[in-house]
């Protein structure tokens, strides 16, 4: 705590809180200004709380001057953050940890060659630390049982995949079947309408009979002369025929069916469809019209077959979906993407694809798809193709229909943008796949638990399989005889209970996958002082750092030969691991946590307000962050590109969204930016803008705090409790800047917000979904969220400002330049993150020297991304337990 | 086995043991004599919503002085003892045909991309984790509904979803439920124990591995591994609870065995009786009931409108509306009968079951496919809920805030539930 604040305490506090007088049993005159123990920290915390809540100084005492109070609070809050960190310093101790959720999934994948859904397990993120920090990775009874069940599931999937390794399947779905359905619906609608008209005529004839006039008048009055509802009462009109006699046969009151058939609202649009070319060989992705059970032509849903046409089940494994499609030329240029996904009821697709083919020369799009569970239920094997953004929300679909109708001569529907010729599903043979080590360990034991009258393998062979499998699962550690004995006992119990030997075998292997040696990354050390890692431990640490997965054979062999720790070998291996596609297990996982991307899922984007930011665009925007980081890592470019760069890593969807011309295709790639583009760097990414708001409006406070935390490595203290809320501005028509100005009027607010708000306001040109804007509007809303007419104001955004005690900026570009000039702070932030992530423990004050070394070393290489990794991997800390 | 016994002896786990020298039947099923009558939680779900025009009190007359709408008239004698809460919803609910699946969890069905079905723990199961410690059954799930599709409940086996968001099976037959509660298991005790032993052998094997790993670990790492040991211990505790109750005779039934083959309205009355009996004997403290509301139910009250069409009465009114209203009246009458019984059944200290129960009656569906202003009726004195009022909350208040408030009310201090944002002081007395 800076010493100059002592004068302030002396003049305002000591009178009541001194050696003789201790009001509220608080004494302040002997309070140390250096916080080195928890007791002192608690005493300072009380002061902070009392000042923040306004409790102190009391009403009848002289108040603190605003400027002094602001500075005091600023320093005190930051002192407390530093003190807490100091007191929590583990001094380099690394707690043993279990595999976190993603590592568990990756480890199963490496061991057994199958990716299983792990959504049931706790996510292990969100504790404020990285998901590798052992102290935060807990275990529970529930979770143990989940591991047991998930392990069994993974084994089922792996065995099934191995049994079906060489199976090839193929099915083509000709989409003109949908055109035929449209034709059939048109036919039916015309027929039903005619029948309904005939029925109506007969009912009216009956109603017109003079002898019925009394009852008809009564009935008409009952339904307020509503024609449709009048006809529902046909039974009470003597001589009126039943709707059933005109073919309307359902369980409901069939008059409803007949009444509806009279209208046949979508008939013109359906007829229009039939006039299009190419419907005899394909179909058009249309607007959804009828209930999907009647007619589904807004999307193509197709089942991954159960056992059709061969009668043999389609196995799990790698599949390719091919779509032959074309642009019709009738849609606007932005309408050139299709979404692919599983389960049409969901609104988040798996991938988005650009269609570039033409009607003359259609194109075939190939989409890889991993089908994990051969027994998946119908919904989970129903795949779909649909036009991007047409199925995100029913209100959006309704708007599309409204807008589309204006472009149509028939006054309804929407022009067709995309034509689809056919779809193919192909299972790709696993014949070329390296047998995953877990399965290789089993030798040639039978894997099929559906075989009747199975051969029971000799117990010795089973035992050997258990031993090898366990050693593989335990990443090279010996499982121990007693453990294997236990498995054998269990196996025999199950056999004598009449279980199928393969099923009993799998049950036992599932126990291996729920055992601590599999679930925990242990580095035993009975000594109180640190010890160097063994080579095998180093291999494990390295591969979980750079892959989030277990060491492969090469790493394990180098470790076994005692070569891995040699600097040149380690550097080469680090490079090899980073070059491997599995390094996405590092870059994606690290990026998600480092930048706090969980916030992307905090809220639903208001799709009616932000029409262009549909779900598919959000998916691409999220990927942009991952792809950019992966690009920098792959190309070993400077991390400073994340603050400002003259390129963006985008694909066709995002180029369309950012309105950057000349980019086509689904692959993310480096695209040079036109001069003056606000893109290039994290702040120009739509997903980052989205996180700094609520999906509808921006939050300059959220954005400013994020920049301080992530780019400047100067995190504001956590939001304090009990600060009086500013309520006086509710319902007033103010600009965002005017509203935030109120923060500066209260010392409790200003102490942090003077740092936060100017940065956030400097980013106001990005709206809540990252679109560039120059104006903003505020509308006062009533209690029900409805805008109050007239209570509205529009203004030109003024991003100009000044960093607290720092340089001024006129606009976003100048602000970005200022941030870019602070690349060393940014490098420090990423270094701290990498250390915590790699070592699995929080970074503390005792790491100062370590951090400084890494930053200095990477600075010489212009902060090239891989230098950070090499610096961490070669550090003494990385080699020490 | 030696290992495990040794291990259990050293464990600090508390296992609620049944008290055998009971004074009366009511404590046969519970572990210990509570000093005050225990709090109990009930959720009754009825699938396809209600008739909104005639079920909700006017939002312009909030508070105690509201006129009872036609659909609630059968509850008139209890008007001071229940509240209707308006303005609630589950923001993530999207299924117009699912009145129950996400009702008690507030989860987002599509939270997992590419997966067709996601759910999280239901409020009753949160309560059962605590309130279920000392009773034979942690919770009971009753279900005499037609299929979830037919009755507007949506996917699920009962109203309950476990901690992993998986459906908890329900008791579909009043006769079976009766036997589960009051008939003793005829399976030889040895066989029952054999099943438990099988489960334990798995635990023994992983414990062996844990001990190997433990060798050489320093203090902090040992503490970490202790979590694993604790997990295994917790499972042991649960298995032990099952084992301990194996030999304990069930309480004498305060009601006679129900008739078999009763469907629709009749099954509701039977299950309500069982619900009261289960509480009376302290066999459990948490019950959910997925009530029928499909064809069987409508047939049993003389209505032959298709249940789904009934809930879409708005477009055509007529007999669909009439059916919908008749359904409401029947349900309200049944509920009024249940409240009568809860009030009439006395606890040891002279208070009534009603005084200690927290009962919610409602659905995720209002009517048609409307999933906002979910019908919610709260009754019973167990959770400190304000009774006798038409409580109008701001539109789209999280339903999970009600669940959180109920949980706190019965002494379960959950930090949050589903998408809750906090307890609702407006519904507390």
């Amino acid at each position: 705590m800076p010493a100059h604040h002592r004068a302030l305490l002396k003049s305002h506090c000591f009178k009541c809180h001194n050696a003789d007088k201790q009001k509220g049993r608080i004494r302040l005159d002997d309070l140390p200004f250096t916080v080195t123990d928890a007791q002192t920290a608690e005493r300072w915390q009380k002061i902070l709380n009392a000042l923040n809540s306004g409790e102190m100084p009391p009403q009848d005492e002289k108040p603190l001057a605003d400027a002094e109070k602001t500075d005091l609070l600023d320093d005190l809050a930051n002192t407390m953050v530093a003190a807490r960190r100091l007191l929590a310093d583990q001094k380099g101790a690394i707690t043993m940890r279990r595999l976190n959720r993603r590592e568990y999934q990756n480890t199963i994948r490496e061991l057994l060659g199958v990716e299983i859904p792990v959504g049931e397990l706790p996510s292990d993120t969100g504790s404020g630390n990285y998901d590798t920090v052992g102290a935060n990775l807990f275990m529970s009874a529930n979770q143990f049982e989940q591991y047991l069940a998930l392990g069994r599931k993974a084994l089922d999937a792996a065995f099934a995949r191995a049994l079906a390794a060489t199976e090839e399947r193929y099915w083509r779905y000709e989409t003109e079947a949908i055109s035929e359905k449209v034709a059939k619906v048109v036919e039916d609608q015309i027929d039903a309408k005619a029948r309904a008209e005939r029925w109506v005529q007969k009912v009216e004839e009956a109603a017109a009979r003079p002898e019925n006039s009394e009852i008809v008048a009564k009935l008409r009055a009952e339904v307020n002369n509503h024609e449709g509802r009048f006809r529902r009462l046909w039974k009470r009109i003597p001589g009126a025929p039943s709707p059933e006699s005109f073919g309307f046969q359902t369980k409901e009151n069939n008059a409803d069916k007949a009444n509806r058939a009279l209208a046949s609202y979508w008939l013109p649009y359906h007829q229009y469809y039939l006039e299009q070319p190419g419907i005899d060989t394909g179909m058009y992705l249309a607007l959804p019209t009828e209930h999907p059970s009647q007619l589904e032509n807004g999307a193509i849903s197709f089942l991954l077959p159960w056992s059709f046409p061969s009668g043999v089940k389609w196995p799990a494994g790698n599949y390719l979906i091919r779509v032959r499609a074309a642009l019709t030329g009738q849609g606007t240029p932005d309408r050139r993407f299709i979404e692919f996904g599983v389960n049409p009821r969901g609104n988040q697709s798996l991938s988005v694809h650009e269609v570039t083919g033409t009607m003359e020369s259609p194109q075939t799009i190939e989409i890889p798809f991993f089908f994990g569970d051969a027994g998946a239920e119908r919904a989970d094997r129903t795949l779909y193709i649909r036009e991007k953004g047409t199925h995100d929300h029913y209100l959006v679909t309704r708007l599309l229909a409204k807008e589309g109708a204006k472009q149509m001569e028939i006054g309804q529907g929407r022009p067709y943008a995309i034509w689809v010729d056919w779809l193919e599903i192909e299972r790709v043979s696993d014949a070329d796949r390296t047998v995953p080590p877990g399965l290789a360990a089993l030798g040639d034991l039978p894997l099929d638990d559906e075989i009747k009258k199975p051969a029971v393998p000799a117990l010795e062979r089973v035992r050997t399989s258990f031993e090898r499998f366990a050693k593989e699962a335990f990443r090279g550690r010996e499982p121990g005889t007693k453990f294997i004995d236990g498995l054998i006992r269990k196996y025999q119990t199950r056999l004598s209970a009449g279980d199928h030997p393969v099923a009993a075998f799998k049950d036992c292997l599932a126990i291996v996958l729920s055992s601590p040696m599999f679930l925990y990354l242990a580095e035993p050390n009975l000594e109180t002082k640190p010890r160097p890692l063994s080579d095998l431990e180093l291999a494990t640490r390295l591969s979980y750092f750079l892959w989030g997965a277990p060491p492969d054979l090469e790493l394990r062999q180098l470790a076994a030969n005692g070569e891995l720790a040699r600097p040149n070998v380690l550097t080469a291996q680090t490079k090899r691991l980073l070059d491997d596609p599995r390094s996405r297990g590092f870059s994606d996982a690290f990026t998600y946590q480092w930048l706090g991307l969980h916030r992307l899922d905090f809220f639903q984007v208001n799709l009616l307000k932000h029409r262009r930011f549909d779900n598919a665009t959000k998916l691409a925007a999220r990927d942009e962050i991952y792809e950019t980081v992966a690009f920098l890592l792959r190309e070993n470019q400077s991390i400073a590109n994340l603050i400002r760069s003259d390129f963006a890593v985008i694909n066709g969807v995002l180029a369309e969204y950012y309105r950057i011309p000349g980019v086509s295709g689904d692959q993310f790639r480096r695209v040079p930016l036109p001069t003056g583009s606000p893109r290039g760097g994290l702040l120009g990414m739509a997903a980052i803008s989205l996180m700094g708001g609520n999906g509808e409006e921006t939050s300059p406070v959220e954005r400013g705090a994020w920049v301080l935390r992530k780019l400047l490595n100067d995190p504001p203290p956590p939001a304090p409790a009990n600060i009086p809320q500013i309520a006086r501005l509710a319902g007033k028509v103010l600009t965002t800047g005017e509203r935030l100005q109120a923060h500066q009027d209260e010392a409790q607010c200003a102490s942090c917000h003077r740092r936060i708000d100017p940065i956030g306001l400097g980013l106001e040109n990005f709206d809540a979904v990252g679109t560039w804007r120059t104006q903003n509007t505020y509308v006062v809303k009533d209690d029900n969220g409805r805008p109050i007419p007239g209570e509205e104001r529009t203004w030109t955004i003024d991003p100009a400002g000044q960093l607290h005690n720092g340089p001024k900026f006129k606009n976003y570009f100048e602000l970005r330049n200022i941030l870019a000039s602070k690349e060393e702070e940014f490098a420090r932030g990423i270094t701290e993150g990498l250390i915590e992530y790699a070592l699995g423990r929080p970074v503390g004050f005792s790491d100062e020297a370590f951090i400084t070394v890494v930053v200095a070393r990477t600075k010489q290489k212009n902060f090239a991304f891989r230098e950070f990794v090499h610096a961490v991997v070669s550090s003494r800390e990385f080699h020490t337990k | 086995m030696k290992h495990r016994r040794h291990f259990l002896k050293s464990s600090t786990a508390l296992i609620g043991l049944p008290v055998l020298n009971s004074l009366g039947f009511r404590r046969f099923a519970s572990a210990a004599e509570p000093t005050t009558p225990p709090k109990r939680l009930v959720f009754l779900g009825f699938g396809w919503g209600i008739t909104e025009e005639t079920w909700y009190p006017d939002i312009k007359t909030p508070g105690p002085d509201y006129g009872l709408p036609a659909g609630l008239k059968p509850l008139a004698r209890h008007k001071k003892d229940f509240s209707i809460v308006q303005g609630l919803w589950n923001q993530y609910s999207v299924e117009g045909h699912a009145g129950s699946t996400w009702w008690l969890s507030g989860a987002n069905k599509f939270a997992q991309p590419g997966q067709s079905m996601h759910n999280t723990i239901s409020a009753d199961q949160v309560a059962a984790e605590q309130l279920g410690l000392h009773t034979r059954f942690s919770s009971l799930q009753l279900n005499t509904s037609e299929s979830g599709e037919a009755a507007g409940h949506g996917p699920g086996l009962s109203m309950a979803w476990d901690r992993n968001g998986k459906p908890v099976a329900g008791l579909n037959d009043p006769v079976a439920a009766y036997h589960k509660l009051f008939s003793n298991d005829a399976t030889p005790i040895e066989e029952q124990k054999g099943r438990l032993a099988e489960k334990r052998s798995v635990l023994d094997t992983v414990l062996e591995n844990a001990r190997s790993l433990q060798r050489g670990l320093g203090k902090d790492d040992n503490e970490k591994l202790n979590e694993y040991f604790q997990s295994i211990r917790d499972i042991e505790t649960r298995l032990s609870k099952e084992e301990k109750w194996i030999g304990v005779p069930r309480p004498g039934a305060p009601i006679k065995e129900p008739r078999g083959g009763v469907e629709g309205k009749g099954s509701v009355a039977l299950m309500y009786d069982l619900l009261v009996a289960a509480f009376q004997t302290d066999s459990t403290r948490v019950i959910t009931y997925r009530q029928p509301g499909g064809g069987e139910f409508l047939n049993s009250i003389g209505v032959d409108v298709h249940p789904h069409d009934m809930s879409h009465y708005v477009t055509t009114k007529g007999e669909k509306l009439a059916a919908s209203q008749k359904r409401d009246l029947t349900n309200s009458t049944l509920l009024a009968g249940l409240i009568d019984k809860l009030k009439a059944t006395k606890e040891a200290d002279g208070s009534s079951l009603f005084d200690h129960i927290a009962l919610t009656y409602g659905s995720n569906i209002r009517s048609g496919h409307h999933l906002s202003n979910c019908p919610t009726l709260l009754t019973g004195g167990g959770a400190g809920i304000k009774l006798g009022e038409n409580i109008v909350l701001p539109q789209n208040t999280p339903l999970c805030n009600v669940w959180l408030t109920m949980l706190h009310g019965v002494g379960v201090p959950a930090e949050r539930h589903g998408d809750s944002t906090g307890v609702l002081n407006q519904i507390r007395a």
Side-chain angles (χ1 to χ4, degrees), chain A residues 372-430:
Chain A
D373 177 8
E377 287 174 26
R378 190 176 185 85
D380 290 332
R381 61 198 305 140
T382 306
L383 313 179
Y384 65 81
I385 294 290
R386 62 196 184 199
E387 189 182 336
K388 170 174 159 286
T390 54
H391 286 65
D392 288 353
H393 195 283
Y394 73 97
L395 289 175
V396 172
T397 311
R398 201 181 280 174
L399 269 179
L400 290 174
K402 206 170 150 191
E403 293 158 0
K406 291 180 195 148
Q407 303 166 43
M408 301 285 286
E409 264 179 44
I410 53 171
Q412 62 168 224
R414 192 186 187 212
Y416 305 118
I418 295 165
W419 176 84
V420 179
D421 187 353
W422 45 250
L423 298 163
E424 284 177 353
I425 310 180
E426 185 188 336
R427 182 176 195 271
V428 187
S429 161
D430 277 342

Side-chain angles (χ1 to χ4, degrees), chain A residues 534-545:
Chain A
S534 73
D535 271 36
L536 189 58
E537 287 167 345
L538 180 63
T540 302
R541 211 184 254 189
L542 186 68
S543 72
Y544 276 98
F545 175 28

Side-chain angles (χ1 to χ4, degrees), chain A residues 96 120 134-135 137-139 144-146 252 256 343 345 380 482 494 514-517 525-526 881, chain B residues 95 110 116 164 166 198 202 205 208-209 213 216-218 221 224 227-228 231 235 238 309 319-320:
Chain A
M96 177 182 79
E120 295 174 12
L137 294 169
F138 301 104
M139 177 65 81
F144 171 78
E145 289 176 324
Q146 284 164 343
E252 299 180 43
D256 294 344
N343 182 15
R345 300 293 311 275
D380 290 332
K482 279 187 184 169
R494 300 310 303 267
S514 319
S515 295
M517 281 192 188
N525 184 16
L526 278 174
K881 162 70 180 183
Chain B
E95 290 288 330
F110 298 118
S116 59
N164 304 321
K166 300 286 172 257
E198 175 83 0
V202 173
T205 308
E208 172 56 41
N209 188 253
L213 185 69
L217 291 187
D221 290 355
K224 206 39 17 196
E227 289 167 12
Y228 188 88
S231 316
I235 299 173
R238 205 181 57 216
D309 292 344
E319 78 278 12
K320 295 179 189 173

Side-chain angles (χ1 to χ4, degrees), chain B residues 241-301:
Chain B
K241 178 174 177 180
E242 282 175 37
E243 188 175 39
K244 297 291 172 194
W245 286 93
I246 282 178
V248 182
R250 283 163 165 74
I255 52 171
K256 60 180 201 296
E257 184 179 331
R259 279 178 299 130
V262 179
E263 286 180 349
K265 180 184 171 186
S267 76
V268 179
L270 290 179
M271 283 305 202
Y272 280 179
D273 286 349
L274 277 163
L275 182 153
V276 173
F279 284 155
Q280 199 178 349
T281 53
D282 202 21
S283 295
T284 189
R285 292 170 192 175
V286 179
I287 296 183
T288 62
Y289 178 28
R290 195 160 88 142
Q291 300 191 175
E296 287 170 7
F297 183 81
L298 295 186
N299 285 339
S300 72
I301 62 170

Side-chain angles (χ1 to χ4, degrees), chain A residues 93-98 101 117-120 134-142 144-146 148 153 229 232 251-253 256 260 342-343 345-350 377 379-380 474 477 479-480 482-483 486-487 489-490 493-494 511-512 514-520 522-527 601-602 604 783-784 786 881, chain B residues 1 3 91-92 94-97 108-110 112-118 129 162-164 166 198-199 201-235 238-239 304-306 308-309 314-320 369 394-395:
Chain A
I94 297 172
T95 311
M96 177 182 79
R97 65 185 186 88
R98 67 163 166 76
R101 184 169 80 178
V118 292
E120 295 174 12
N136 300 332
L137 294 169
F138 301 104
M139 177 65 81
S140 70
N142 229 326
F144 171 78
E145 289 176 324
Q146 284 164 343
L148 211 50
K153 250 187 227 169
R229 275 156 61 192
R232 298 182 90 245
K251 280 184 198 163
E252 299 180 43
N253 182 331
D256 294 344
R260 223 170 291 147
V342 184
N343 182 15
R345 300 293 311 275
N347 50 24
Q348 181 61 69
S349 298
L350 294 175
E377 287 174 26
D380 290 332
F474 298 165
R477 291 190 61 160
K482 279 187 184 169
F483 177 69
L487 296 180
R489 266 200 306 278
K490 167 85 179 165
T493 313
R494 300 310 303 267
I511 297 174
V512 176
S514 319
S515 295
M517 281 192 188
F518 174 71
L519 295 173
Y520 287 87
E523 295 159 352
N525 184 16
L526 278 174
E527 304 299 316
D601 298 315
F602 268 20
Q604 192 65 47
D783 292 346
N784 296 317
R786 277 186 290 266
K881 162 70 180 183
Chain B
M1 281 295 115
H3 282 311
Q91 60 169 323
Y92 296 116
V94 290
E95 290 288 330
H97 293 175
N108 181 351
K109 179 183 181 186
F110 298 118
Q112 305 283 339
Q115 257 185 47
S116 59
M117 172 73 202
H118 175 74
E129 286 177 357
D162 72 15
R163 180 132 315 264
N164 304 321
K166 300 286 172 257
E198 175 83 0
K199 288 179 185 166
S201 78
V202 173
L203 304 185
D204 286 340
T205 308
V206 295
L207 280 175
E208 172 56 41
N209 188 253
R211 278 185 216 103
S212 300
L213 185 69
Q214 200 176 17
R215 275 173 228 132
L217 291 187
K219 184 170 155 289
D220 288 350
D221 290 355
N222 234 315
E223 274 171 25
K224 206 39 17 196
L225 189 62
N226 250 331
E227 289 167 12
Y228 188 88
F229 281 111
Q230 183 60 46
S231 316
I232 303 301
R233 224 171 271 150
D234 290 345
I235 299 173
R238 205 181 57 216
L239 296 180
D304 64 354
V305 174
H306 191 262
H308 173 250
D309 292 344
V314 178
T315 49
T316 50
K317 304 275 167 67
E319 78 278 12
K320 295 179 189 173
H369 290 174
Q395 211 181 338

